[in-house]
Amino acid sequence: MTGTKPFEALSVETLPKRLGENAALSERIGKDASRWTVREVGDGNLNLVFIVEGDKGAAVVKQALPYVRLVGDSWPLPLKRSFFEYHALTRQERRAPGSVPAIYHFDEGQALIVMEYLSPHVILRRALIDGRELPNIARDIGLFMARTLFRGSDLSMVTKERKADLALFADNVELCDITENLVFSDPYFDAEMNRHTSPQLDGVVAELRADRDLKVEAQRLKHLFAANAETLLHGDLHSGSIMVTDTETRMIDPEFAFYGPIAFDVGMLLANFWMAFFSQRGHEEKGSRDSMRAYLLKVTAETWAIFRAEFSQLWRTERTGMLYHRSLFEDQGDRLAAEQALDHVLSGIWTDLLGFAGIEVHRRILGLAHNADFETIADENLRATCEARALRFGRHIAVNRRQIHSIDEVNNLAALIEQESTI
């Protein structure tokens, strides 16, 4: 639904009055808005997020702001990003049912979405910092990525529908611009909003900014990101955009959604597991994190294995789009040729995801938006040591991605680098 009133940012005080007559909200939490309890819980970089509780239950109200919240109104940002988030969530729910919060109401004019309150879920990144070894995240995230990325592509969709969807999400220009600059370019020069642990990392940063091979590779990946419109991406899939319990996993915040390379979501997600791995030494106040480190490497391997298995199953059963059409393969009795094509596609995803993962590690340590995995390490020297190891790891997998052939090879490299003692 589109609102007709001028945009006005919500607050804890004004929300009950402004949304008290919203049927989608009041039917779920109680009709008497005077009895609602409202908490502002948004700790992200862009938006307002409220938990609204009433006699009957609770819901979340998320509202975009006309600027980047992390920076302030000096960095304007269009409200239409809530439009893309809403449309991405509806598509993700169709393609991977039960993997995202239920949507109750959308007001385009007020740039707000009323959605399911996930409880007792916590942000995955927080759980990993706390040392929780969640049993289902590899399965749930691997299935989500395979299903949404395959079913949103020309491997599956009707061509006319996919091209219409491509045109719709192509207008998410400003958020793509954030990714294109903050992820692929800013970490490799003295960009205004960059920051890093200084002076401890100054030498490492200077090295990376002078690294010709790395900078060329980063720009090749940026080219791929901008030009290869394979599928509808989440666009910002990391451990801060996933909510979990011991038995359930939900993906949130797809406002960066657009059409890009399949490998992007997968690489960004795995990078966050590897960063969590390198941060563990900084969270050992209450004892060894050896078990957690082993768990995180196991999760990366399982996530990739489940993604591959589900993507392969969908290839064999739901390949109804224009690419690798069955009339060229199975319909001619040549199943092995279809499997050869599948291997080619998965090999390309693997190589490119390593590049995206390496660049994501760099931007989260050197750019504007940092990860709490490292930021919550109070000892700056210890934090810098953890970050320096991660930076070296990221550089290696980005630059040498074509010579790396298995997830075990990557995890073995991570384990070796993690043992290094100096910056």
Side-chain angles (χ1 to χ4, degrees), residues 20-21 23 25-36 55-56:
E21 296 183 5
L25 184 56
S26 61
E27 287 172 4
R28 283 170 174 82
I29 70 171
K31 296 186 181 297
D32 185 355
S34 68
R35 298 173 63 87
W36 292 359
D55 296 335
K56 292 176 61 178

Side-chain angles (χ1 to χ4, degrees), residues 64-309:
L65 291 168
Y67 52 83
V68 177
R69 187 180 187 188
L70 176 66
V71 177
D73 55 15
S74 64
W75 187 346
L77 204 61
L79 297 172
K80 66 183 179 183
R81 66 185 186 273
S82 67
F83 170 89
F84 299 113
E85 178 171 5
Y86 165 74
H87 282 282
L89 285 167
T90 60
R91 285 152 178 76
Q92 289 167 352
E93 175 59 30
R94 288 200 302 270
R95 293 165 186 166
S99 62
V100 299
I103 301 299
Y104 303 141
H105 174 76
F106 171 57
D107 185 330
E108 184 175 353
Q110 295 301 310
L112 67 83
I113 305 172
V114 180
M115 67 183 80
E116 178 184 5
Y117 172 47
L118 299 175
S119 179
H121 300 66
V122 297
I123 295 294
L124 174 57
R125 179 171 290 135
R126 184 69 257 172
L128 299 180
I129 291 170
D130 289 343
R132 289 179 59 184
E133 298 182 16
L134 298 148
N136 297 328
I137 57 172
R139 182 200 67 195
D140 293 345
I141 298 170
L143 291 176
F144 170 81
M145 293 192 299
R147 290 168 180 173
T148 57
L149 298 174
F150 186 94
R151 290 170 174 163
S153 75
D154 270 321
L155 295 167
S156 176
M157 290 184 73
V158 174
T159 300
K160 183 177 181 180
E161 293 177 2
R162 200 201 79 95
K163 284 181 165 51
D165 222 36
L166 174 63
L168 185 148
F169 282 94
D171 194 36
N172 200 4
V173 175
E174 291 81 4
L175 269 69
C176 284
D177 180 69
I178 289 175
T179 302
E180 289 153 4
N181 290 307
L182 265 62
V183 174
F184 294 100
S185 294
D186 285 5
Y188 304 108
F189 74 102
D190 188 19
E192 181 180 356
M193 289 183 289
N194 283 355
R195 62 185 178 88
H196 63 266
T197 305
S198 181
Q200 292 89 340
L201 290 182
D202 290 356
V204 178
V205 173
E207 253 180 62
L208 293 176
R209 288 179 182 168
D211 191 326
R212 181 182 304 157
D213 291 340
L214 175 60
K215 289 188 291 185
V216 169
E217 201 58 53
Q219 292 310 290
R220 293 179 71 180
L221 289 158
K222 183 176 183 178
H223 186 170
L224 181 63
F225 173 87
N228 191 8
E230 285 186 314
T231 191
L232 180 63
L233 300 174
H234 179 287
D236 197 28
L237 189 60
H238 54 74
S239 55
S241 58
I242 300 171
M243 297 194 71
V244 295
T245 67
D246 285 341
T247 59
E248 190 174 60
T249 310
R250 302 282 195 97
M251 319 312 147
I252 62 173
D253 296 348
E255 60 201 324
F256 281 80
F258 83 112
Y259 272 79
I262 290 171
F264 182 76
D265 273 0
V266 188
M268 298 285 273
L269 185 280
L270 292 183
N272 278 261
F273 287 144
W274 282 315
M275 282 187 280
F277 169 82
F278 282 106
S279 76
Q280 290 303 304
R281 200 166 293 279
H283 302 295
E284 291 187 315
E285 301 93 341
K286 297 180 180 179
S288 170
R289 287 289 186 100
D290 287 346
S291 174
M292 191 65 187
R293 279 187 280 271
Y295 163 79
L296 285 162
L297 295 184
K298 180 182 177 184
V299 164
T300 63
E302 289 182 353
T303 302
W304 173 240
I306 289 164
F307 172 87
R308 281 180 55 96

